[in-house]
Amino acid sequence: MEYILKNGIVYDPANNIAGEKKDVMFKDGKIVEQVSSDAKVLDVTDKIVMPAGVDPHAHIAGPKLVVGRIYRPEDSRKGVTSKKGVCRSESGFSIPSCPATGYRYSRMGYGTVTEAAVPPLEAKHTHEEIMAIPNVDVTPLPLFGNNWFVLQWAKEGKIDEIAAFVASWLRIVKGYGIKIVNPCGTEAWGWGGNVHGIDDPVPYFDVTAREVVRALAQANEKLGLPHSIHVHPNDLGHPGNYPTTVNTLDCVKDIAKNGSKRNQTIHLTHAQFHSYAGTSWRDVESGAKEVADYINNNKHVTCDIGQVTLDETTTMTADGPMEFDLHELNGLKWANKDIELETGSGIVPFIYSGKAPVPSFQWGVGLELFLRIKDPWQVCLTTDHPNAGPFIRYPRIISWLMSNERRQEMMDNGEVRVWSYKRTGLGTLDREYDFNEIATITRASAAKIYGYQDRGELTPGYNADIAVYDINPNDIDPSKEPAAIEHAFGNAMYTIKDGQILVKDGEVVKVVPSHTIWTDVKGFEEQEKTVMEEVMPTFRRFYTVKFENYQVQDHFTPNPIVTEVQAGK
Amino acid sequence: MKTITLTLKKKSPIALEFDELIPDKVFDWEKVDFEKYQVPVGNRRFPLTDYFDIEVEGDAAGPEEVKMILDGDFGRVKYIGCKMGAGEIIVNGDADLHCGAEMEGGKITVNGNAESYAGREMKGGELEIMGNTREFCGCSYIGDWRGMSGGKITLHGSAGKQLGECLSGGEIYVKGDCDILAGIHMNKGFIQIDGDVTRWPGGQMKNGNILVKGKLGILLEGFVYDSVVADPVIDGKSFSGKYIKYNGDIAVNGKGNLYLNAEKNREFL
Ligand SMILES: [Zn+2]
C-alpha cells in the first residue's frame, strides 16, 4: 500500500528539515522518495508532520509494574474506560494497564519506548508484558550495575570478561544495552546500606561505582553496542548530589567511542533527580547550571530529564535504598525486592504537589536543565515515567518548554511554590523551544542516542513511523496558547507505525502487536564461551532458578527486531 | 418535591449497580426515563423495569428536592447513593456493597443491614443504617491511605472489621458492638462505639478519638495509659461517667486518644 501525506509542515531534525512544507511518502511500511499515482492521499495541509516519537527512558513493563499495580489499586481505578472500538478497556493513571500503555503512547504520536530497567532474572516477565503492550516497539535495557559477576570483574579490571558477559546476557535476556542504576548502591542495600559518591566501595566486593561505570563503559565500547551505557548515578534525589553526577559523567571522558551513529559514551538518565546543590532539604538549591554546563562542554554526554509533572504518581526503581529513604520521607507504603545476584528494587507512591516546596523545586530544576542545555541533540524529554510523573504529561511539558509566559504564570499564580524560582535559576530563563527543538528532544535525539538505524527520521528506507499533529505551526503562537499545544501533542491527528494508521484524530483505530528491539553481538563467541564456563558454577550455586529456566526463549519475543553488532567494529 | 419509588419485583443473583441512580443525576427524570434506563448488571445492562416497579410523583428543581424510596430486598444492589451530593434515599430492606460510598451530601437511611464498604470515602452527608454492617464501613478505597473525611455514619446495629479504616474526618457512631481494628490508620475524626469491642481498636492510629462504652477484649500494646477522666468532652459531645484514657498508637508515633468505659473495663486498670 502506498501513501502520500500531502502538504504537511515537516520537522525532521535528522535531515535538517525544520518546518518545510513538503509531502512525505511511504510504501509497504517504509519511507520512500516517491510513490505511484495510485498512492492514497492523506491531506495534512499545514499540519505538523514529524517522525513518530521515541521515548528513551520509561518503566512500562516488568515485575515492578505488576507489583505497583497490585499494591496500588487506588491508582488503577483512575483512568478507567470501557471497551471502545478496537480498544480494550483501560485502567490506571501512573501505572496503566499494558493495553492502556500502548494506546496512550500511540495517541501522543509515539512509536518506540525504552523499558529502562530489566532485572535479567525477571526478563521473561518483562517480555510477557511487552507482548501485552500494543502499538509501540519496546527496547528493554537489562541492569548490569550491581551484578555480582560485573562487580567482581570490575574490581579485577577484567574488561574482556565483562564485554563477553554483556554480549551473552543481552542474548540470554533479549536486551538492547547496558543499564546501570546506583552502581554498587543497590548491592550495598543488600547489606542494609548504600554508597555515597562514586568512590565509596560496596561491602564484600570492595569495588566502587567509578570502577564499575568505567568497566561497563569500556566493555560497551569494546563491543561497539548501538547505545552507550545508560546511567542512573549514585545519590539520586539527595541535596548536594550534583558533584556525584558530574564526576560520574567525567569518569568515562577518556574512553573512546565505538558506535557509528551516536556521539555519546554515557547517557545520564533523569538528570533532574541528580542536579541538586546544598546539604539538606532545608538549604537545597539547584545544581542544574553546573550539570548543564558540564553537558554543554562535553559532547560525550547525553541526557534525559525526568521532569516532575506535579501529579500523584508511583516511584519505582532498581535503586532500592533510595526508595527506602523516600518511604521514610513521605510515610507512604513501600515495596522492596531483592533480585538475587543482580539488583534490587523499591516502590513508593509519591505526591508531587505544586503546593509543597520540594516538588516545586524539582519542577524548577527539570525545566532549568531543559532551558540551559544548549544542544537539543544532547537532551530528551522524559518524566522517568512513572517516577516524576506519567508519560501522558509529555504534551504538557512541551507546552511549558514552548511558553515562558506559561511558566511565569505558574510561578506567579501559585501553581508552584516560590522554591520553583527562589531555589533554582528558572525565573531568569526566558528561552522558548521551537517546534524543531521539540521534534529533536521527543524523537530525533533519542533515536540517535540509541543508534537506531530504522526510526526517528523520515529518511527513505526508514520505517514509516510518522506523527501528524493538528496545528498549523505558522499560525499558532505557542507562547500564548499552551493549552492548544498540549491538546495537539496529546491527540495526534495521525499516528502511523510501519506504514499503518494506528491513530486518527486522537482515537486509536488500529491495534498491532509491538516489536521487541534487542542486540545480538557477533564475533565474540570464543570469549563468551570461556566466560560462560566461569559463570556457570556460581550461577548454579547461588541462583534460585536453573539456567534453563532463566534464559528468555525465542517465543518470548514473537516480533523481534534484532540489531546485529560485529564486536569491536 | 419529587418522590421516586422503586419496588423490587425480581431479585438478581448478580448484583445490580445503582451509582447512576442518585438524586444528582435523576432529579429531572420522569417515569418514562426510568423505564428507558438500562441498569448495569455484572458486565452487561438490562432494563430497570425487569427488576422494579417504578413510581414517580411530583417535581424537583434540583437533587435536594428528591426522595428515593427503595422498597424490598436490595441485598443485591451495589453502590446505592454512591457519590450522591444531595437529596434523600431510603432503603426499606438490606443494601449491598458500597452503599453511600464517596457520598458528599444528602442522607441515606437503610432500614435493614448494609454489606461491607458502606460509607467508603464518605466526604459529607449522613448515612444511617438501622441494622448491622460488615467490614470496612467508613473506610478508604482498597490500597488508598485516605479514608472517610467528612459526614456522619450512624449504625444502630453492629459493625464488622476495620471500621473507619484511614478515617481522616467526620464521625462514626456505632450503637451496637464492633469487631477488630476499628479506626486502624485513622488520623482524625471520631469513632464512638456503645457496645462491646473484640480487640485492637486504633491500630496504627496517628490521631483522632475513639470512645468505647462497652467492654474491650484485647487492647493493643501500642496504647499508653494516660489517666482516668471523668465526663470527657470529645468533639463537642459530652459523655458521663469515668473513662480510661490512652494515647497511641506509639508504634507509629501516634497522638490519638482511646477512651474505655472505666466501669466495664476495670481489669485494664
Ligand atoms: Zn528510570
Side-chain angles (χ1 to χ4, degrees):
Chain A
M1 191 76 179
E2 295 177 292
Y3 284 93
I4 177 160
L5 275 166
K6 214 158 180 55
N7 286 329
I9 315 269
V10 177
Y11 294 88
D12 181 12
N15 289 306
N16 288 313
I17 296 169
E20 254 175 60
K21 188 159 198 163
K22 76 196 276 290
D23 299 341
V24 174
M25 286 155 278
F26 54 97
K27 184 182 173 183
D28 301 334
K30 302 283 179 194
I31 307 276
V32 290
E33 297 258 24
Q34 46 185 311
V35 285
S36 73
S37 54
D38 296 340
K40 188 168 176 198
V41 176
L42 301 173
D43 180 13
V44 294
T45 302
D46 293 331
K47 308 296 183 195
I48 288 182
V49 177
M50 293 180 179
V54 179
D55 187 337
H57 188 109
H59 303 275
I60 55 166
K64 287 200 297 293
L65 279 295
V66 173
V67 173
R69 290 182 200 112
I70 290 170
Y71 105 138
R72 288 211 69 196
E74 77 279 9
D75 185 87
S76 292
R77 76 164 158 168
K78 295 180 200 165
V80 170
T81 63
S82 1
K83 182 172 141 179
K84 190 182 168 199
V86 297
C87 293
R88 298 170 56 177
S89 59
E90 296 181 34
S91 70
F93 175 71
S94 66
I95 17 177
S97 60
C98 293
T101 300
Y103 306 152
R104 292 176 193 179
Y105 266 112
S106 214
R107 289 187 194 113
M108 300 195 304
Y110 271 66
T112 309
V113 185
T114 292
E115 161 46 56
V118 181
L121 179 63
E122 310 276 3
K124 280 183 172 177
H125 185 133
T126 307
H127 287 290
E128 283 172 329
E129 280 209 63
I130 292 171
M131 283 190 256
I133 297 173
N135 286 20
V136 285
D137 295 343
V138 181
T139 302
L141 294 184
L143 293 152
F144 287 100
N146 290 281
N147 185 292
W148 289 7
F149 300 107
V150 172
L151 296 181
Q152 187 62 39
W153 287 319
K155 173 77 183 164
E156 295 162 1
K158 292 181 170 170
I159 306 305
D160 277 4
E161 279 80 350
I162 294 178
F165 179 78
V166 167
S168 289
W169 245 250
L170 291 181
R171 191 176 313 106
I172 288 165
V173 306
K174 305 279 191 285
Y176 188 78
I178 298 173
K179 175 72 185 299
I180 303 170
V181 171
N182 189 4
C184 301
T186 301
E187 171 56 22
W189 182 233
W191 302 80
N194 195 354
V195 300
H196 296 288
I198 67 168
D199 294 310
D200 185 7
V202 58
Y204 181 75
F205 289 100
D206 193 34
V207 64
T208 64
R210 179 190 299 273
E211 294 168 293
V212 171
V213 169
R214 279 187 60 81
L216 282 166
Q218 286 167 300
N220 196 96
E221 302 312 319
K222 176 163 238 125
L223 296 173
L225 298 180
H227 187 33
S228 65
I229 54 168
H230 189 114
V231 184
H232 154 156
N234 308 107
D235 298 327
L236 182 145
H238 288 241
N241 63 9
Y242 85 80
T244 298
T245 309
V246 169
N247 290 337
T248 305
L249 301 176
D250 203 52
C251 87
V252 298
K253 194 175 177 179
D254 61 314
I255 297 168
K257 182 192 69 132
N258 174 23
S260 59
K261 192 155 185 202
R262 61 182 157 91
N263 286 334
Q264 89 282 7
T265 50
I266 184 166
H267 179 83
L268 165 66
T269 189
H270 36 73
Q272 177 273 127
F273 286 122
H274 301 277
S275 301
Y276 305 157
T279 59
S280 73
W281 283 117
R282 237 177 259 276
D283 68 0
V284 71
E285 297 216 26
S286 170
K289 183 169 187 312
E290 289 78 0
V291 172
D293 282 351
Y294 186 87
I295 294 172
N296 287 334
N297 291 321
N298 288 280
K299 289 293 168 195
H300 74 284
V301 181
T302 56
C303 73
D304 63 82
I305 300 297
Q307 174 64 36
V308 162
T309 64
L310 306 173
D311 288 295
E312 177 181 323
T313 191
T314 312
T315 66
M316 47 178 64
T317 158
D319 195 339
M322 191 284 295
E323 288 287 359
F324 180 70
D325 291 348
L326 205 58
H327 159 70
E328 293 277 275
L329 193 75
N330 75 2
L332 298 182
K333 53 190 172 181
W334 169 57
N336 178 72
K337 186 154 199 254
D338 176 54
I339 311 280
E340 306 193 5
L341 286 61
E342 299 178 346
T343 176
S345 72
I347 311 174
V348 177
F350 205 83
I351 302 170
Y352 292 99
S353 166
K355 293 188 179 70
V358 169
S360 302
F361 162 78
Q362 294 174 305
W363 175 84
V365 170
L367 290 174
E368 189 185 354
L369 282 165
F370 271 120
L371 301 175
R372 285 196 191 276
I373 296 169
K374 291 179 186 147
D375 181 357
W377 289 94
Q378 280 181 287
V379 57
C380 306
L381 190 162
T382 63
T383 59
D384 187 20
H385 165 86
N387 285 299
F391 67 80
I392 49 171
R393 293 291 190 236
Y394 291 175
R396 183 167 297 173
I397 297 169
I398 291 172
S399 77
W400 292 337
L401 293 174
M402 298 190 89
S403 174
N404 180 43
E405 204 171 304
R406 176 69 187 126
R407 300 194 298 263
Q408 293 299 334
E409 178 185 75
M410 291 176 74
M411 293 185 264
D412 291 344
N413 70 13
E415 284 179 67
V416 284
R417 292 281 296 270
V418 289
W419 278 28
S420 60
Y421 55 92
K422 286 234 166 109
R423 299 295 182 92
T424 79
L426 184 61
T428 65
L429 299 166
D430 60 4
R431 178 177 165 194
E432 292 181 334
Y433 274 60
D434 61 26
F435 285 113
N436 198 50
E437 289 171 314
I438 293 296
T440 309
I441 66 164
T442 54
R443 42 268 284 163
S445 68
K448 186 179 172 80
I449 287 164
Y450 272 82
Y452 293 141
Q453 309 219 14
D454 61 354
R455 63 194 66 215
E457 311 176 6
L458 300 175
T459 308
Y462 272 52
N463 296 342
D465 290 5
I466 308 164
V468 181
Y469 299 108
D470 190 8
I471 19 175
N472 179 345
N474 300 318
D475 224 26
I476 192 168
D477 181 357
S479 187
K480 305 261 184 256
E481 297 172 69
I485 292 291
E486 181 178 345
H487 185 264
F489 280 100
N491 298 275
M493 185 180 170
Y494 287 107
T495 303
I496 295 161
K497 180 97 192 63
D498 299 311
Q500 304 187 70
I501 297 169
L502 304 186
V503 170
K504 187 161 176 355
D505 300 326
E507 300 278 345
V508 176
V509 294
K510 190 173 171 73
V511 176
V512 295
S514 56
H515 296 91
T516 316
I517 304 174
W518 65 276
T519 303
D520 191 7
V521 178
K522 301 286 184 196
F524 224 64
E525 289 78 9
E526 280 308 306
Q527 294 94 320
E528 286 186 50
K529 197 164 163 261
T530 313
V531 148
M532 287 308 285
E533 279 163 16
E534 189 180 337
V535 161
M536 284 320 292
T538 310
F539 191 104
R540 279 193 286 269
R541 183 162 169 216
F542 290 114
Y543 269 98
T544 56
V545 298
K546 285 197 163 181
F547 186 74
E548 292 70 22
N549 296 322
Y550 176 90
Q551 287 174 290
V552 175
Q553 292 84 2
D554 288 346
H555 67 268
F556 284 90
T557 55
N559 306 296
I561 295 176
V562 185
T563 309
E564 284 196 8
V565 169
Q566 286 299 321
K569 297 256 168 63
Chain B
M1 195 69 204
K2 179 180 259 179
T3 307
I4 300 158
T5 310
L6 302 185
T7 308
L8 188 85
K9 58 182 187 190
K10 186 178 95 182
K11 188 177 174 183
S12 167
I14 296 168
L16 277 58
E17 294 178 17
F18 255 39
D19 47 324
E20 291 169 345
L21 297 176
I22 55 175
D24 310 69
K25 291 186 183 173
V26 302
F27 70 88
D28 56 353
W29 285 23
E30 298 302 330
K31 188 169 184 214
V32 51
D33 298 308
F34 286 97
E35 285 167 352
K36 275 190 299 197
Y37 176 72
Q38 306 248 328
V39 64
V41 182
N43 62 2
R44 299 172 67 184
R45 281 175 183 265
F46 291 99
L48 191 64
T49 50
D50 284 4
Y51 305 97
F52 305 100
D53 289 324
I54 300 154
E55 291 297 331
V56 180
E57 272 172 43
D59 286 304
E64 55 289 334
E65 293 175 20
V66 171
K67 182 191 252 187
M68 294 180 71
I69 299 172
L70 310 183
D71 274 336
D73 178 4
F74 278 63
R76 289 269 62 194
V77 179
K78 298 196 286 192
Y79 299 103
I80 293 170
C82 179
K83 293 185 183 167
M84 77 184 264
E88 189 178 0
I89 299 178
I90 298 165
V91 187
N92 290 318
D94 294 345
D96 205 352
L97 297 163
H98 306 288
C99 175
E102 297 176 73
M103 87 185 263
E104 293 180 10
K107 177 159 191 200
I108 301 174
T109 307
V110 180
N111 287 314
N113 299 323
E115 251 290 351
S116 297
Y117 290 104
R120 162 177 61 78
E121 296 175 286
M122 196 166 150
K123 295 181 183 70
E126 258 185 88
L127 171 61
E128 187 163 12
I129 299 162
M130 305 313 289
N132 303 321
T133 183
R134 291 184 51 181
E135 277 57 80
F136 293 105
C137 176
C139 71
S140 70
Y141 184 77
I142 181 171
D144 213 321
W145 56 90
R146 293 154 292 200
M148 169 176 172
S149 58
K152 183 173 179 183
I153 299 176
T154 306
L155 188 57
H156 293 262
S158 296
K161 298 172 176 66
Q162 310 217 13
L163 171 86
E165 174 254 13
C166 294
L167 186 73
S168 67
E171 186 184 338
I172 303 179
Y173 176 22
V174 182
K175 295 195 178 182
D177 299 336
C178 187
D179 204 352
I180 61 168
L181 291 167
I184 182 171
H185 294 295
M186 74 184 272
N187 57 59
K188 211 178 160 189
F190 179 32
I191 298 176
Q192 177 187 338
I193 302 160
D194 285 356
D196 298 338
V197 173
T198 52
R199 53 178 75 176
W200 309 327
Q204 303 215 327
M205 79 188 282
K206 281 259 167 73
N207 214 326
N209 296 296
I210 302 175
L211 180 136
V212 179
K213 281 194 182 173
K215 186 169 162 28
L216 172 64
I218 300 173
L219 177 73
L220 265 178
E221 287 76 3
F223 284 81
V224 182
Y225 173 77
D226 178 273
S227 55
V228 172
V229 291
D231 306 331
V233 179
I234 304 163
D235 272 13
K237 241 174 140 177
S238 43
F239 298 89
S240 58
K242 284 188 177 162
Y243 284 84
I244 316 168
K245 184 181 174 190
Y246 296 90
N247 299 125
D249 182 339
I250 58 166
V252 290
N253 246 328
K255 309 271 185 293
N257 302 308
L258 171 65
Y259 298 86
L260 299 183
N261 183 324
E263 188 137 339
K264 294 209 173 134
N265 295 283
R266 273 173 201 285
E267 77 266 26
F268 289 106
L269 283 167

